[in-house]
């Protein structure tokens, strides 16, 4: 039979849907971050049960990601009070402006809400610093002054 008369399915023309990428490295989380992951899994399980055939694939894909994140999560111990670490509240001065944020896991990060991922360049530069220290960042020595750690 000629190819011109062959019926093509709609599947042949769809863009492939790849799995959501898992961030590299360990899945370190805060206790709040673990709660958020579990809440997201519960939400997606309910959405999967209610989804129609067309929406099931996308919800199932998201659910696989969050199941993986829940299984691999490791809750970090509480940070030292005087040293920047995972879970620390940090107060800095960077290029003349003061900023406050908390260092959290990749999935919990929300820079607009003052939550930056531990894998972010600024967080990595600050790890281990103490109040009063100057830290190199962005190719500049002494670019960040640590004003407080909590």
């Amino acid at each position: 039979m000629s190819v011109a008369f062959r019926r093509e399915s709609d599947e042949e023309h769809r863009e492939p849907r790849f799995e959501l990428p898992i961030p590299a490295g360990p899945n370190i989380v805060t206790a709040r971050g673990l709660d958020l992951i579990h809440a997201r899994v519960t939400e997606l399980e309910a959405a999967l049960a209610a989804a129609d055939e067309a929406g099931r694939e996308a919800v199932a894909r998201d659910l696989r990601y969050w199941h993986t994140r829940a299984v691999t999560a490791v809750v970090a111990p509480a940070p030292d009070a005087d040293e920047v670490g995972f879970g620390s509240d940090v107060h800095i001065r960077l290029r003349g402006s003061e900023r406050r944020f908390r260092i959290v896991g990749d999935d919990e990060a929300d820079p607009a809400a003052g939550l930056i991922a531990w894998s972010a360049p600024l967080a990595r530069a600050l790890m281990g610093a103490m109040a009063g220290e100057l830290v190199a960042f962005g190719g500049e020595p002494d670019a960040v002054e640590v004003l407080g750690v909590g």
Side-chain angles (χ1 to χ4, degrees), residues 37-54:
I37 289 171
H38 288 305
R40 185 71 175 137
V41 167
T42 301
E43 176 185 315
L44 287 168
E45 286 173 341
L48 185 63
D52 60 1
E53 190 64 33

Side-chain angles (χ1 to χ4, degrees), residues 68-124:
T68 301
R69 297 306 278 169
V71 170
T72 60
V74 175
V75 178
D80 290 337
D82 57 346
E83 183 178 311
V84 176
F86 190 94
S88 293
D89 290 312
V90 185
H91 181 199
I92 64 167
R93 181 176 294 120
L94 173 64
R95 296 184 189 101
S97 68
E98 292 187 19
R99 299 178 185 175
R100 293 177 184 269
F101 53 85
R102 175 175 285 162
I103 299 174
V104 297
D106 292 311
D107 295 318
E108 188 180 358
D110 181 1
L115 302 169
I116 66 168
W118 67 278
S119 58
L122 180 58
R124 289 191 322 232

Side-chain angles (χ1 to χ4, degrees), residues 14 51-59:
R14 284 193 181 162
D52 60 1
E53 190 64 33
R56 263 182 101 65
E57 183 180 328
V59 174

